[in-house]
Amino acid sequence: MLYASFDFTRIPSSDPDRTIGPPAYHHTLKKHPDKLSTSSIFEVRNPRGRSCRRKLVINNICFRFLLLAWDERNIRSQDYLTVLHQISSNPSGTALVWDDVRTRWGELVHRFTLNSRYLGNLIPAITSSFNTELKLKEVLRLL
């Protein structure tokens, strides 16, 4: 694996290659979630200059927080859906939360049941900013 040894807790001091940087971060976070810890969630350098790097850092922090929040030892179960709603209110976090909800939909229904009004309010809260045919199809496919 090309990116398996990438240290995702630090952003390199030089500008990451636009074609390799984001996939490297994403791949490493997906393949090595065991390297996450609550103490390392904010151990990312404050990027200066490029907005693409800032967006990458925000996406990484949101992704890490989503992984950590699923564990009830980190975030109480009754607060988990509020966390998802808050992350999705950030434009950078909407796509991350939407993908996570679609992936974990069965687990969410099992954990909160379909009778939960909070789970019922989550989908409209996340999808309120969607405005494309593709996103409409994704929502209909989920339901």
Side-chain angles (χ1 to χ4, degrees):
M1 291 279 178
L2 177 62
Y3 306 122
S5 63
F6 186 79
D7 182 12
F8 63 91
T9 60
R10 301 274 183 220
I11 291 183
S13 59
S14 61
D15 289 332
D17 183 6
R18 290 177 188 245
T19 60
I20 294 176
Y25 296 134
H26 180 72
H27 171 80
T28 305
L29 288 171
K30 282 284 195 190
K31 296 293 181 185
H32 303 289
D34 56 316
K35 291 186 179 181
L36 298 174
S37 69
T38 52
S39 62
S40 69
I41 191 167
F42 295 111
E43 288 180 7
V44 179
R45 283 189 49 206
N46 182 14
R48 295 187 186 120
R50 295 203 168 181
S51 62
C52 64
R53 186 186 281 175
R54 276 192 294 270
K55 186 173 181 177
L56 182 64
V57 169
I58 289 171
N59 285 342
N60 283 336
I61 290 173
C62 288
F63 183 77
R64 290 181 202 179
F65 195 70
L66 280 174
L67 291 177
L68 291 171
W70 180 253
D71 187 358
E72 291 185 49
R73 292 175 294 178
N74 298 322
I75 301 291
R76 296 181 308 174
S77 187
Q78 64 263 30
D79 296 331
Y80 178 71
L81 296 175
T82 304
V83 167
L84 291 181
H85 177 74
Q86 292 298 321
I87 293 173
S88 73
S89 66
N90 182 327
S92 296
T94 303
L96 290 171
V97 171
W98 177 239
D99 290 341
D100 190 59
V101 166
R102 286 188 305 151
T103 303
R104 295 182 192 254
W105 182 249
E107 296 169 82
L108 286 168
V109 169
H110 179 72
R111 183 171 173 180
F112 298 102
T113 75
L114 284 176
N115 295 328
S116 169
R117 65 181 173 147
Y118 301 109
L119 183 60
N121 291 335
L122 181 65
I123 301 299
I126 295 170
T127 60
S128 64
S129 64
F130 291 176
N131 58 5
T132 63
E133 191 72 28
L134 174 66
K135 292 297 184 184
L136 174 64
K137 288 179 183 178
E138 288 178 359
V139 172
L140 293 175
R141 201 173 308 131
L142 178 68
L143 302 176

mmCIF file of all heavy atoms in Angstrom, residues 59-90:
data_model
loop_
_atom_site.group_PDB
_atom_site.id
_atom_site.type_symbol
_atom_site.label_atom_id
_atom_site.label_comp_id
_atom_site.label_asym_id
_atom_site.label_seq_id
_atom_site.Cartn_x
_atom_site.Cartn_y
_atom_site.Cartn_z
ATOM 1 N N ASN A 59 -12.123 18.524 7.342
ATOM 2 C CA ASN A 59 -12.690 17.223 6.996
ATOM 3 C C ASN A 59 -12.087 16.106 7.837
ATOM 4 O O ASN A 59 -12.793 15.211 8.283
ATOM 5 C CB ASN A 59 -12.490 16.923 5.509
ATOM 6 C CG ASN A 59 -13.426 17.709 4.637
ATOM 7 O OD1 ASN A 59 -14.430 18.233 5.099
ATOM 8 N ND2 ASN A 59 -13.101 17.801 3.375
ATOM 9 N N ASN A 60 -10.787 16.152 8.057
ATOM 10 C CA ASN A 60 -10.136 15.126 8.872
ATOM 11 C C ASN A 60 -10.616 15.171 10.321
ATOM 12 O O ASN A 60 -10.853 14.136 10.928
ATOM 13 C CB ASN A 60 -8.621 15.271 8.819
ATOM 14 C CG ASN A 60 -8.044 14.752 7.527
ATOM 15 O OD1 ASN A 60 -8.645 13.914 6.863
ATOM 16 N ND2 ASN A 60 -6.891 15.250 7.157
ATOM 17 N N ILE A 61 -10.752 16.364 10.868
ATOM 18 C CA ILE A 61 -11.227 16.492 12.243
ATOM 19 C C ILE A 61 -12.661 15.993 12.350
ATOM 20 O O ILE A 61 -12.989 15.232 13.270
ATOM 21 C CB ILE A 61 -11.105 17.949 12.733
ATOM 22 C CG1 ILE A 61 -9.635 18.304 12.921
ATOM 23 C CG2 ILE A 61 -11.875 18.153 14.029
ATOM 24 C CD1 ILE A 61 -9.385 19.759 13.229
ATOM 25 N N CYS A 62 -13.502 16.367 11.405
ATOM 26 C CA CYS A 62 -14.890 15.905 11.436
ATOM 27 C C CYS A 62 -14.965 14.390 11.281
ATOM 28 O O CYS A 62 -15.736 13.726 11.969
ATOM 29 C CB CYS A 62 -15.703 16.585 10.330
ATOM 30 S SG CYS A 62 -16.031 18.316 10.627
ATOM 31 N N PHE A 63 -14.150 13.836 10.385
ATOM 32 C CA PHE A 63 -14.156 12.386 10.179
ATOM 33 C C PHE A 63 -13.703 11.657 11.438
ATOM 34 O O PHE A 63 -14.313 10.673 11.866
ATOM 35 C CB PHE A 63 -13.267 12.024 8.993
ATOM 36 C CG PHE A 63 -13.276 10.558 8.675
ATOM 37 C CD1 PHE A 63 -14.335 9.989 8.007
ATOM 38 C CD2 PHE A 63 -12.222 9.754 9.063
ATOM 39 C CE1 PHE A 63 -14.356 8.647 7.724
ATOM 40 C CE2 PHE A 63 -12.225 8.406 8.786
ATOM 41 C CZ PHE A 63 -13.300 7.849 8.114
ATOM 42 N N ARG A 64 -12.654 12.137 12.058
ATOM 43 C CA ARG A 64 -12.171 11.525 13.297
ATOM 44 C C ARG A 64 -13.224 11.616 14.392
ATOM 45 O O ARG A 64 -13.458 10.670 15.141
ATOM 46 C CB ARG A 64 -10.899 12.205 13.785
ATOM 47 C CG ARG A 64 -9.709 11.937 12.934
ATOM 48 C CD ARG A 64 -8.514 12.632 13.534
ATOM 49 N NE ARG A 64 -7.491 12.839 12.540
ATOM 50 C CZ ARG A 64 -6.354 13.438 12.794
ATOM 51 N NH1 ARG A 64 -6.089 13.892 13.983
ATOM 52 N NH2 ARG A 64 -5.468 13.590 11.840
ATOM 53 N N PHE A 65 -13.849 12.779 14.479
ATOM 54 C CA PHE A 65 -14.854 12.968 15.519
ATOM 55 C C PHE A 65 -16.050 12.045 15.294
ATOM 56 O O PHE A 65 -16.612 11.508 16.247
ATOM 57 C CB PHE A 65 -15.299 14.424 15.577
ATOM 58 C CG PHE A 65 -16.052 14.753 16.824
ATOM 59 C CD1 PHE A 65 -15.396 14.791 18.042
ATOM 60 C CD2 PHE A 65 -17.402 15.011 16.789
ATOM 61 C CE1 PHE A 65 -16.083 15.077 19.203
ATOM 62 C CE2 PHE A 65 -18.095 15.300 17.942
ATOM 63 C CZ PHE A 65 -17.438 15.334 19.158
ATOM 64 N N LEU A 66 -16.439 11.833 14.038
ATOM 65 C CA LEU A 66 -17.524 10.898 13.745
ATOM 66 C C LEU A 66 -17.177 9.487 14.209
ATOM 67 O O LEU A 66 -18.010 8.786 14.784
ATOM 68 C CB LEU A 66 -17.829 10.875 12.249
ATOM 69 C CG LEU A 66 -18.676 11.998 11.701
ATOM 70 C CD1 LEU A 66 -18.766 11.904 10.186
ATOM 71 C CD2 LEU A 66 -20.054 11.985 12.314
ATOM 72 N N LEU A 67 -15.956 9.066 13.938
ATOM 73 C CA LEU A 67 -15.543 7.733 14.373
ATOM 74 C C LEU A 67 -15.522 7.612 15.892
ATOM 75 O O LEU A 67 -15.935 6.603 16.455
ATOM 76 C CB LEU A 67 -14.162 7.395 13.809
ATOM 77 C CG LEU A 67 -14.074 7.162 12.311
ATOM 78 C CD1 LEU A 67 -12.631 6.922 11.899
ATOM 79 C CD2 LEU A 67 -14.950 6.009 11.881
ATOM 80 N N LEU A 68 -15.037 8.637 16.552
ATOM 81 C CA LEU A 68 -14.969 8.608 18.011
ATOM 82 C C LEU A 68 -16.353 8.734 18.653
ATOM 83 O O LEU A 68 -16.615 8.133 19.694
ATOM 84 C CB LEU A 68 -14.072 9.733 18.518
ATOM 85 C CG LEU A 68 -12.592 9.575 18.210
ATOM 86 C CD1 LEU A 68 -11.842 10.854 18.564
ATOM 87 C CD2 LEU A 68 -12.007 8.395 18.951
ATOM 88 N N ALA A 69 -17.229 9.498 18.042
ATOM 89 C CA ALA A 69 -18.556 9.728 18.615
ATOM 90 C C ALA A 69 -19.413 8.471 18.591
ATOM 91 O O ALA A 69 -20.295 8.312 19.440
ATOM 92 C CB ALA A 69 -19.263 10.854 17.869
ATOM 93 N N TRP A 70 -19.185 7.588 17.642
ATOM 94 C CA TRP A 70 -19.994 6.371 17.572
ATOM 95 C C TRP A 70 -19.822 5.511 18.826
ATOM 96 O O TRP A 70 -20.753 4.844 19.259
ATOM 97 C CB TRP A 70 -19.623 5.580 16.322
ATOM 98 C CG TRP A 70 -20.425 4.319 16.185
ATOM 99 C CD1 TRP A 70 -19.985 3.050 16.378
ATOM 100 C CD2 TRP A 70 -21.809 4.216 15.855
ATOM 101 N NE1 TRP A 70 -21.007 2.164 16.186
ATOM 102 C CE2 TRP A 70 -22.144 2.844 15.870
ATOM 103 C CE3 TRP A 70 -22.811 5.146 15.571
ATOM 104 C CZ2 TRP A 70 -23.423 2.382 15.580
ATOM 105 C CZ3 TRP A 70 -24.085 4.678 15.289
ATOM 106 C CH2 TRP A 70 -24.384 3.323 15.296
ATOM 107 N N ASP A 71 -18.659 5.546 19.424
ATOM 108 C CA ASP A 71 -18.392 4.773 20.630
ATOM 109 C C ASP A 71 -19.055 5.467 21.823
ATOM 110 O O ASP A 71 -18.770 6.629 22.111
ATOM 111 C CB ASP A 71 -16.880 4.664 20.848
ATOM 112 C CG ASP A 71 -16.510 3.737 21.979
ATOM 113 O OD1 ASP A 71 -17.417 3.196 22.647
ATOM 114 O OD2 ASP A 71 -15.298 3.543 22.187
ATOM 115 N N GLU A 72 -19.906 4.748 22.523
ATOM 116 C CA GLU A 72 -20.647 5.335 23.637
ATOM 117 C C GLU A 72 -19.758 5.697 24.826
ATOM 118 O O GLU A 72 -20.187 6.408 25.726
ATOM 119 C CB GLU A 72 -21.758 4.399 24.088
ATOM 120 C CG GLU A 72 -22.859 4.289 23.065
ATOM 121 C CD GLU A 72 -24.026 3.468 23.552
ATOM 122 O OE1 GLU A 72 -24.503 3.723 24.679
ATOM 123 O OE2 GLU A 72 -24.446 2.577 22.808
ATOM 124 N N ARG A 73 -18.527 5.230 24.827
ATOM 125 C CA ARG A 73 -17.602 5.625 25.899
ATOM 126 C C ARG A 73 -17.135 7.067 25.707
ATOM 127 O O ARG A 73 -16.695 7.708 26.650
ATOM 128 C CB ARG A 73 -16.395 4.702 25.934
ATOM 129 C CG ARG A 73 -16.751 3.285 26.384
ATOM 130 C CD ARG A 73 -15.572 2.385 26.282
ATOM 131 N NE ARG A 73 -15.244 2.260 24.855
ATOM 132 C CZ ARG A 73 -14.231 1.581 24.377
ATOM 133 N NH1 ARG A 73 -13.393 0.980 25.182
ATOM 134 N NH2 ARG A 73 -14.025 1.495 23.082
ATOM 135 N N ASN A 74 -17.223 7.581 24.472
ATOM 136 C CA ASN A 74 -16.775 8.947 24.191
ATOM 137 C C ASN A 74 -17.928 9.948 24.184
ATOM 138 O O ASN A 74 -17.789 11.048 24.700
ATOM 139 C CB ASN A 74 -16.066 8.991 22.836
ATOM 140 C CG ASN A 74 -14.835 8.134 22.818
ATOM 141 O OD1 ASN A 74 -14.104 8.057 23.794
ATOM 142 N ND2 ASN A 74 -14.591 7.462 21.705
ATOM 143 N N ILE A 75 -19.034 9.585 23.552
ATOM 144 C CA ILE A 75 -20.211 10.457 23.461
ATOM 145 C C ILE A 75 -21.417 9.652 23.923
ATOM 146 O O ILE A 75 -21.645 8.538 23.443
ATOM 147 C CB ILE A 75 -20.448 10.945 22.006
ATOM 148 C CG1 ILE A 75 -19.253 11.721 21.475
ATOM 149 C CG2 ILE A 75 -21.723 11.774 21.898
ATOM 150 C CD1 ILE A 75 -19.025 13.063 22.114
ATOM 151 N N ARG A 76 -22.198 10.211 24.834
ATOM 152 C CA ARG A 76 -23.372 9.494 25.324
ATOM 153 C C ARG A 76 -24.339 9.238 24.165
ATOM 154 O O ARG A 76 -24.440 10.045 23.247
ATOM 155 C CB ARG A 76 -24.079 10.294 26.409
ATOM 156 C CG ARG A 76 -23.235 10.475 27.644
ATOM 157 C CD ARG A 76 -23.958 11.234 28.706
ATOM 158 N NE ARG A 76 -24.498 12.496 28.161
ATOM 159 C CZ ARG A 76 -25.275 13.316 28.837
ATOM 160 N NH1 ARG A 76 -25.640 13.025 30.066
ATOM 161 N NH2 ARG A 76 -25.711 14.432 28.297
ATOM 162 N N SER A 77 -25.041 8.142 24.244
ATOM 163 C CA SER A 77 -25.940 7.736 23.174
ATOM 164 C C SER A 77 -26.992 8.805 22.886
ATOM 165 O O SER A 77 -27.315 9.070 21.730
ATOM 166 C CB SER A 77 -26.613 6.416 23.528
ATOM 167 O OG SER A 77 -27.359 5.934 22.448
ATOM 168 N N GLN A 78 -27.526 9.435 23.915
ATOM 169 C CA GLN A 78 -28.562 10.440 23.708
ATOM 170 C C GLN A 78 -28.011 11.706 23.046
ATOM 171 O O GLN A 78 -28.771 12.498 22.511
ATOM 172 C CB GLN A 78 -29.293 10.784 25.008
ATOM 173 C CG GLN A 78 -28.431 11.430 26.063
ATOM 174 C CD GLN A 78 -27.913 10.437 27.079
ATOM 175 O OE1 GLN A 78 -27.698 9.274 26.772
ATOM 176 N NE2 GLN A 78 -27.696 10.902 28.302
ATOM 177 N N ASP A 79 -26.710 11.897 23.056
ATOM 178 C CA ASP A 79 -26.103 13.073 22.447
ATOM 179 C C ASP A 79 -25.560 12.808 21.041
ATOM 180 O O ASP A 79 -25.182 13.741 20.340
ATOM 181 C CB ASP A 79 -24.962 13.599 23.318
ATOM 182 C CG ASP A 79 -25.456 14.075 24.667
ATOM 183 O OD1 ASP A 79 -26.618 14.508 24.757
ATOM 184 O OD2 ASP A 79 -24.676 14.012 25.633
ATOM 185 N N TYR A 80 -25.509 11.555 20.645
ATOM 186 C CA TYR A 80 -24.888 11.194 19.371
ATOM 187 C C TYR A 80 -25.587 11.843 18.177
ATOM 188 O O TYR A 80 -24.928 12.396 17.294
ATOM 189 C CB TYR A 80 -24.861 9.672 19.197
ATOM 190 C CG TYR A 80 -24.272 9.244 17.884
ATOM 191 C CD1 TYR A 80 -22.917 9.374 17.644
ATOM 192 C CD2 TYR A 80 -25.065 8.734 16.870
ATOM 193 C CE1 TYR A 80 -22.358 8.995 16.441
ATOM 194 C CE2 TYR A 80 -24.529 8.354 15.659
ATOM 195 C CZ TYR A 80 -23.177 8.480 15.449
ATOM 196 O OH TYR A 80 -22.633 8.115 14.246
ATOM 197 N N LEU A 81 -26.907 11.810 18.140
ATOM 198 C CA LEU A 81 -27.634 12.387 17.010
ATOM 199 C C LEU A 81 -27.478 13.909 16.970
ATOM 200 O O LEU A 81 -27.436 14.509 15.893
ATOM 201 C CB LEU A 81 -29.103 11.989 17.054
ATOM 202 C CG LEU A 81 -29.351 10.487 16.900
ATOM 203 C CD1 LEU A 81 -30.812 10.169 17.070
ATOM 204 C CD2 LEU A 81 -28.840 9.986 15.569
ATOM 205 N N THR A 82 -27.358 14.528 18.132
ATOM 206 C CA THR A 82 -27.090 15.970 18.179
ATOM 207 C C THR A 82 -25.715 16.278 17.605
ATOM 208 O O THR A 82 -25.540 17.263 16.879
ATOM 209 C CB THR A 82 -27.192 16.485 19.624
ATOM 210 O OG1 THR A 82 -28.467 16.146 20.148
ATOM 211 C CG2 THR A 82 -26.978 17.980 19.692
ATOM 212 N N VAL A 83 -24.751 15.432 17.894
ATOM 213 C CA VAL A 83 -23.405 15.595 17.335
ATOM 214 C C VAL A 83 -23.456 15.508 15.819
ATOM 215 O O VAL A 83 -22.868 16.333 15.114
ATOM 216 C CB VAL A 83 -22.436 14.542 17.919
ATOM 217 C CG1 VAL A 83 -21.143 14.481 17.137
ATOM 218 C CG2 VAL A 83 -22.157 14.841 19.373
ATOM 219 N N LEU A 84 -24.185 14.515 15.293
ATOM 220 C CA LEU A 84 -24.313 14.390 13.835
ATOM 221 C C LEU A 84 -24.951 15.636 13.231
ATOM 222 O O LEU A 84 -24.506 16.132 12.194
ATOM 223 C CB LEU A 84 -25.151 13.159 13.475
ATOM 224 C CG LEU A 84 -24.532 11.799 13.743
ATOM 225 C CD1 LEU A 84 -25.491 10.703 13.306
ATOM 226 C CD2 LEU A 84 -23.201 11.648 13.042
ATOM 227 N N HIS A 85 -25.986 16.126 13.892
ATOM 228 C CA HIS A 85 -26.662 17.334 13.396
ATOM 229 C C HIS A 85 -25.721 18.535 13.404
ATOM 230 O O HIS A 85 -25.687 19.319 12.439
ATOM 231 C CB HIS A 85 -27.901 17.615 14.235
ATOM 232 C CG HIS A 85 -28.619 18.851 13.848
ATOM 233 N ND1 HIS A 85 -29.384 18.939 12.707
ATOM 234 C CD2 HIS A 85 -28.660 20.071 14.416
ATOM 235 C CE1 HIS A 85 -29.872 20.165 12.609
ATOM 236 N NE2 HIS A 85 -29.441 20.869 13.641
ATOM 237 N N GLN A 86 -24.941 18.693 14.452
ATOM 238 C CA GLN A 86 -24.035 19.830 14.548
ATOM 239 C C GLN A 86 -22.918 19.757 13.511
ATOM 240 O O GLN A 86 -22.565 20.772 12.907
ATOM 241 C CB GLN A 86 -23.440 19.920 15.960
ATOM 242 C CG GLN A 86 -24.447 20.282 17.018
ATOM 243 C CD GLN A 86 -25.052 21.644 16.779
ATOM 244 O OE1 GLN A 86 -24.378 22.583 16.379
ATOM 245 N NE2 GLN A 86 -26.346 21.755 17.006
ATOM 246 N N ILE A 87 -22.372 18.578 13.298
ATOM 247 C CA ILE A 87 -21.320 18.440 12.282
ATOM 248 C C ILE A 87 -21.895 18.700 10.901
ATOM 249 O O ILE A 87 -21.266 19.342 10.066
ATOM 250 C CB ILE A 87 -20.657 17.056 12.350
ATOM 251 C CG1 ILE A 87 -19.882 16.903 13.658
ATOM 252 C CG2 ILE A 87 -19.722 16.836 11.167
ATOM 253 C CD1 ILE A 87 -19.325 15.519 13.890
ATOM 254 N N SER A 88 -23.110 18.221 10.652
ATOM 255 C CA SER A 88 -23.704 18.420 9.326
ATOM 256 C C SER A 88 -24.084 19.872 9.066
ATOM 257 O O SER A 88 -24.261 20.270 7.917
ATOM 258 C CB SER A 88 -24.933 17.533 9.146
ATOM 259 O OG SER A 88 -26.017 18.006 9.909
ATOM 260 N N SER A 89 -24.198 20.679 10.118
ATOM 261 C CA SER A 89 -24.511 22.092 9.907
ATOM 262 C C SER A 89 -23.317 22.859 9.337
ATOM 263 O O SER A 89 -23.479 23.954 8.805
ATOM 264 C CB SER A 89 -24.995 22.738 11.202
ATOM 265 O OG SER A 89 -23.955 22.769 12.150
ATOM 266 N N ASN A 90 -22.132 22.278 9.439
ATOM 267 C CA ASN A 90 -20.942 22.845 8.799
ATOM 268 C C ASN A 90 -20.913 22.359 7.347
ATOM 269 O O ASN A 90 -21.012 21.161 7.109
ATOM 270 C CB ASN A 90 -19.693 22.368 9.537
ATOM 271 C CG ASN A 90 -18.426 22.937 8.977
ATOM 272 O OD1 ASN A 90 -18.292 23.183 7.788
ATOM 273 N ND2 ASN A 90 -17.457 23.125 9.844
#
